[in-house]
Amino acid sequence: MNGLIAVLVFIMAGSGWGGEEVNWGRQTAVQLGPAAQPPINIERIVPTERQREFTEELTYSIESEQDSRLSEAFRLSYPNGITMPKRILVNNPYRLKIIFSEEVDRSSVEELLGKQLQNAEWSMEWEDGKTIQLVLNFPESAAAEDNYTILHLSGVQSLKGHVLKGDEHVVLQAVQSVEVKAWNSLNEETSTLYLGKDDTQTLSFSPDRQWLLRGERVENPIAAEEIYELMNREGHVIHSFPYGQIGYPQWLNDGQSLIYMKDTWKRQEVWLYNALTGEDQLFWMLPKSDELNYQRIAGIAVDPSTGQIGIAAAYLRDDERFSLDLLLFDSAEYTEPTAAYTGISRYRCLEGPCSAWIEFIGKGQLYYTTVESEAWSALPEVYILDTSTGERKRMDRLETAQWGESRVVISDRDHGVYVRMTGREEGKETIVVYDSRSGERHEIESAVELLAHSLEGFHLQEDGRIVFYAKGLTWFVIDLHKQTIEPYQGETLPTPMKDEDLKLYGSQDGIVVYGITKNNHP
């Protein structure tokens, strides 16, 4: 028992492996949004002098009855390093509770909160010496400034003299309200879904149009990812998936079920979730193997036309490249693969999820990429697999992309296209399109300089034209019959007013899901 106690004291005291002193002061840089934005600096000054006695330690927690994810964001902030910003609607009171493990010096708490909450109206009420009810209200100007508030209580003192040393925190961001709508390209009608807050990254309809899967951006120490919520058409949350529980979610053709990879850290199992019943069940898992190193599920795809399921299983080879096996299941009723293609793709990955891009691009046609060259600078080659015959053909290859490139796959029920835009000298661009219906490859030249803008809202119209939005410009249309790209002529597409921002969340089967927010930027 004495040996165990000694180990605990060693760890908590902050000694290095060589017995040197460790500075308890820490600064963490968190990057949110595009890399061009400055990082958020979370700085907490904590005493460098070691606390010798650990019979008691001052800790705290933050929670909210109106926001179930707040406690999760606080818990994951340290030591996991997950930044899960809590986006708070402006002019809307946000109530939260701070709970300490023992009674604290109230003046030290109030002084710290006063320094951190300068861009919000706030009030607090002590329930007792350990619990605070805190109410925040951000004005519209806080959203216009696009800044973040770091809420933490490190440095607070207890009445017993303990100093709070926890690195846990929450990141708060004031946001505008958003009106979420759906535009149907088939009948050119727009329907309003719900009014919410501007915190959505992706939004996809279930095939029966009764459910919405909403993705929200969060940051881990390596990359950006999404957390998910299941909603009805009115925007009410039916189920929140905990952080890290769900990866590669795809709707099945029954209209109410999701297939997904469970546990984004282990990456070993594929599960089914029924939105109607809430039932969650195992579908398939990677077989155990002592021969295959570093096995992981790297991607999931569902054919919207046939219901066929593709699962990409990757393993690390001796040459430090991943090799990909593709397993096909006729439907969710078949828990064993009906076809398998081994070593279909290879690629390098040093850190992160090491995902593979697989996607159905038309009935029975699966898009995937591979890097055959061993050179680190090699770019992915694009292949199409005919799942009925097993025939594979290379559809696109690029030697260099020194002026930038963008790739997207647009898929409807039985029709899909692959679009690659590549920059050239003097602002010119080459647009390559593969049409799964005709099997033809097209190459179109452009001088619009589209790659200088964020390209969103890609969708196929009934006549086969490809429409997308270049943020800061307008909507464009690629016409494969005319071999042209030009601004879209029409008044029905979602278009923001001068004081509005357009947020495009996704498109499927000719339906574009988007949001309109007020623009307060100067």
Side-chain angles (χ1 to χ4, degrees), residues 405-424:
E405 71 156 334
S406 173
R407 304 185 188 203
V408 64
V409 171
I410 315 160
S411 180
D412 284 346
R413 282 279 171 183
D414 58 355
H415 184 205
V417 295
Y418 158 80
V419 181
R420 188 250 295 167
M421 299 185 185
T422 306
R424 295 165 48 209

Side-chain angles (χ1 to χ4, degrees), residues 118 163 192 217 268 288:
Q118 295 183 20
V163 177
T192 298
R217 180 189 176 97
Q268 300 294 302
K288 302 297 182 182

Side-chain angles (χ1 to χ4, degrees), residues 41-242:
N41 289 319
I42 305 170
E43 188 170 4
R44 295 172 293 284
I45 305 302
V46 188
T48 58
E49 187 176 329
R50 286 195 236 178
Q51 187 174 348
R52 297 289 182 183
E53 187 176 346
F54 287 94
T55 54
E56 289 184 83
E57 183 180 3
L58 180 58
T59 61
Y60 76 115
S61 62
I62 301 179
E63 59 187 45
S64 172
E65 291 184 358
Q66 69 185 81
D67 186 350
S68 60
R69 283 204 186 271
L70 180 64
S71 58
E72 183 182 25
F74 176 82
R75 175 175 52 83
L76 292 172
S77 64
Y78 184 83
N80 305 74
I82 309 301
T83 299
M84 189 185 298
K86 299 313 302 171
R87 297 171 175 98
I88 300 174
L89 194 61
V90 297
N91 299 324
N92 192 58
Y94 183 82
R95 295 173 174 81
L96 53 90
K97 181 185 290 188
I98 302 173
I99 306 170
F100 296 96
S101 60
E102 60 185 70
E103 292 193 19
V104 294
D105 175 15
R106 299 188 182 194
S107 63
S108 66
V109 174
E110 294 168 5
E111 181 183 359
L112 191 57
L113 291 177
K115 292 179 180 178
Q116 296 176 11
L117 302 176
Q118 295 183 20
N119 63 339
E121 299 174 2
W122 62 282
S123 62
M124 61 181 294
E125 180 180 347
W126 288 90
E127 288 187 5
D128 51 40
K130 299 190 296 184
T131 306
I132 306 171
Q133 292 286 352
L134 182 64
V135 180
L136 307 178
N137 199 334
F138 287 92
E140 287 196 16
S141 59
E145 293 165 3
D146 195 28
N147 56 11
Y148 301 86
T149 297
I150 312 302
L151 181 62
H152 70 86
L153 278 301
S154 297
V156 164
Q157 295 184 9
S158 76
L159 296 182
K160 295 181 179 180
H162 298 135
V163 177
L164 200 156
K165 295 183 177 181
D167 283 335
E168 298 88 355
H169 58 272
V170 290
V171 178
L172 307 176
Q173 181 188 11
V175 296
Q176 295 282 356
S177 62
V178 60
E179 189 176 15
V180 179
K181 300 183 177 185
W183 179 76
N184 192 325
S185 66
L186 301 180
N187 55 24
E188 298 191 337
E189 291 183 354
T190 299
S191 58
T192 298
L193 299 177
Y194 64 89
L195 184 68
K197 59 182 178 179
D198 184 15
D199 60 356
T200 299
Q201 183 81 8
T202 57
L203 200 60
S204 65
F205 268 117
S206 61
D208 62 4
R209 304 287 184 265
Q210 297 304 306
W211 314 95
L212 288 162
L213 183 66
R214 189 184 76 86
E216 182 177 348
R217 180 189 176 97
V218 301
E219 304 271 353
N220 65 41
I222 298 175
E225 55 184 324
E226 291 186 36
I227 54 174
Y228 295 94
E229 289 182 337
L230 185 67
M231 309 165 64
N232 61 19
R233 291 177 60 95
E234 290 73 41
H236 299 301
V237 176
I238 306 301
H239 181 69
S240 293
F241 294 95

Side-chain angles (χ1 to χ4, degrees), residues 294-307:
Y294 205 51
Q295 286 190 101
R296 57 172 48 206
I297 293 167
I300 299 175
V302 176
D303 189 333
S305 179
T306 66

Side-chain angles (χ1 to χ4, degrees), residues 20 47 103 127 149 208 213 223 254 282-283 331 378 384 406 423 430 472 496:
E20 70 276 16
E103 292 193 19
E127 288 187 5
T149 297
D208 62 4
L213 183 66
D254 65 0
L282 177 67
F283 171 69
S331 72
I384 301 295
S406 173
T430 298

Side-chain angles (χ1 to χ4, degrees), residues 5-6 23 28 69 155 174 211 265 291 302 318 365 394 489 517:
I5 294 175
N23 192 330
T28 307
R69 283 204 186 271
W211 314 95
W265 293 99
E291 299 177 359
V302 176
D318 291 338
Q365 296 188 60
R394 188 171 69 189
Q489 301 299 320
T517 65

